[in-house]
Each structure stands twice: as structure tokens, then as C-alpha cells.
Amino acid sequence: MDLEPADIKPVITRMKRAHGHLGSVIRMMEEGADCETVLTQLAAVDKALSRAGYAIVATGLQRCLTDEDSDVDLAKLEKLFLALA
């Protein structure tokens, strides 16, 4: 499944935001932040990346459902989806 840039633009934006957030978490750790704060922020980054992955899979499913000539392998898409779980 090829990703259309226009379809995944919001996903890219979300991932860039998560990238910046991860940088902040690393800085917090380097500066000696407390464990609870670091883990809370790290969980937020993890959730953002997971949602980005789900959005990519959803884009593939949507494409598969709307395109009669789709070459999307449903079994492969399911495997990718389950890899995120």
C-alpha cells in the first residue's frame, strides 16, 4: 500500500509534534526531572505515535473500501494493525 502525501499529511504533523515532545522528554531526563513526570510525558509520546500508526492503517482501510481496484492486501493490513496493539 502506497501512502498518498495528501492523505497522511495530518499523520505527519502528529508525528512531528510527537518528535518534538520526545525531545522535550529527553531534555527533562538530562536535567534530572522526577520519574513520574518523565513517565507521564513518555506515555503521551507513546500514545501519539500509536495514534499515528492507527491513522495510517485506517487510511489504508478507507482506501481499500472505496477503491474497487485496490491492491491492498487485507491480511497484511490486519497484521500491521495488530502489530500496533
Side-chain angles (χ1 to χ4, degrees):
M1 165 183 73
D2 294 328
L3 300 172
E4 295 294 326
D7 293 341
I8 61 165
K9 186 172 173 61
V11 177
I12 293 169
T13 300
R14 180 183 300 233
M15 291 178 71
K16 285 181 179 180
R17 196 173 308 126
H19 181 265
H21 197 164
L22 180 58
S24 296
V25 174
I26 292 169
R27 277 192 301 281
M28 289 169 54
M29 293 176 68
E30 291 172 340
E31 295 169 359
D34 67 282
C35 183
E36 183 179 354
T37 303
V38 169
L39 289 175
T40 299
Q41 294 305 312
L42 191 57
V45 172
D46 182 53
K47 187 173 183 177
L49 291 174
S50 291
R51 286 185 178 201
Y54 290 130
I56 291 169
V57 172
T59 299
L61 285 173
Q62 185 177 32
R63 196 167 179 209
C64 187
L65 293 172
T66 58
D67 185 2
E68 292 179 8
D69 297 326
S70 176
D71 63 347
V72 175
D73 181 345
L74 289 178
K76 191 174 189 178
L77 197 58
E78 181 181 2
K79 183 177 179 181
L80 291 170
F81 180 79
L82 291 174
L84 295 170

